[in-house]
Amino acid sequence: MANKKVILITGASSGIGKATAKTLVNHGHKVILTARSEDRLTKLVKELGEDSALSVPADATNFNELENVVTKGLNKFGRLDATFANAGKGLNTLGIEKGDPDEWATMLDININALLWSAKLTLPHLRKTKGHFIITSSATGRRAVKGSIYGASKWFTYGFGQNLAAEMSEWGGRCTTITPGAVNTPFTDEARPDKLYPQDVADAVLFALEANQRNNIREIHLRPTN
């Protein structure tokens, strides 16, 4: 069907990325999945079906590896309608004085550079389809959080999404920044009833993606009810 789309998802092997891949395929879309875990990706593609899903293991912080993902995805599906820049990482040690600079560097590479590479590599193809770029940011990117380097990285992703939306609007493209609160994923600590679930974010991605082309949903802010 003409309204069914091809979406590239980074950080697709677990959590939000995995839930989103399942949701999109269940609604008739096709997905290009990438993450570092080849085993998890292979298992997910078997579940979704090879006609609807392609896995290309890669480190999203490596520009050349991510370029290979885009190339193989285009070779299989022939076009790209959307990118879901979802790969991200938190920190084990909080605060500035007690923080680990090496851990900061790893996190910033994933939260910032992987996002930039995803945009740089896919925008030329999204321009052809008047496509959609979707970002997993965070509620911590919209408010001050004491001593949070992670939160500061999400300020970047939030601001980048606003800037990219303005740029893409010049050629009819759309950009959506999703800012969830804490989500029950391997990314966070113990499960609690006052957290969101990956499916909540996946539903937000689907909502933005399937909105009429005239409707650019610039931001979706999710918070636990309790």
Side-chain angles (χ1 to χ4, degrees):
M1 296 176 62
N3 63 335
K4 299 310 179 184
K5 301 180 179 181
V6 178
I7 303 99
L8 186 152
I9 303 174
T10 67
S13 63
S14 64
I16 291 169
K18 181 178 179 180
T20 301
K22 290 182 175 182
T23 298
L24 295 179
V25 170
N26 286 341
H27 283 78
H29 301 290
K30 299 181 185 298
V31 292
I32 304 162
L33 308 176
T34 188
R36 288 175 294 181
S37 176
E38 183 173 2
D39 291 345
R40 290 180 179 178
L41 288 177
T42 300
K43 183 178 179 181
L44 182 56
V45 168
K46 287 182 179 179
E47 182 178 346
L48 299 177
E50 293 185 358
D51 290 340
S52 298
L54 170 71
S55 69
V56 187
D59 180 348
T61 68
N62 185 305
F63 187 89
N64 292 332
E65 289 188 19
L66 197 56
E67 185 175 33
N68 181 56
V69 174
V70 175
T71 299
K72 288 186 175 180
L74 288 169
N75 287 341
K76 179 174 177 66
F77 294 118
R79 72 180 196 277
L80 184 67
D81 300 295
T83 299
F84 181 30
N86 170 66
K89 178 176 172 53
L91 293 173
N92 294 318
T93 305
L94 303 180
I96 308 300
E97 292 186 60
K98 295 180 179 179
D100 180 349
D102 290 334
E103 190 183 20
W104 294 349
T106 299
M107 181 202 68
L108 292 173
D109 203 18
I110 296 173
N111 290 1
I112 294 177
N113 287 338
L115 170 61
L116 295 177
W117 305 160
S118 297
K120 171 69 174 177
L121 289 166
T122 63
L123 280 180
H125 306 289
L126 296 178
R127 182 187 287 267
K128 296 175 184 177
T129 57
K130 291 189 176 180
H132 202 150
F133 197 92
I134 303 174
I135 300 169
T136 300
S137 184
S138 170
T140 62
R142 303 171 79 253
R143 61 188 177 89
V145 179
K146 179 178 63 177
S148 178
I149 303 295
Y150 168 78
S153 77
K154 290 302 183 177
W155 275 94
F156 177 91
T157 63
Y158 182 79
F160 179 77
Q162 307 306 304
N163 294 349
L164 184 60
E167 180 177 345
M168 292 180 69
S169 68
E170 294 178 351
W171 42 265
R174 300 185 294 171
C175 181
T176 302
T177 302
I178 301 176
T179 58
V183 181
N184 273 332
T185 71
F187 182 89
T188 58
D189 55 10
E190 79 283 353
R192 298 200 315 261
D194 60 341
K195 286 185 177 180
L196 300 165
Y197 281 76
Q199 188 60 51
D200 298 317
V201 183
D203 291 342
V205 173
L206 181 69
F207 173 71
L209 191 67
E210 292 193 339
N212 191 285
Q213 184 69 27
R214 67 176 176 270
N215 181 14
N216 187 359
I217 300 171
R218 297 280 292 266
E219 179 180 346
I220 301 178
H221 182 50
L222 308 175
R223 299 291 288 172
T225 302
N226 296 318

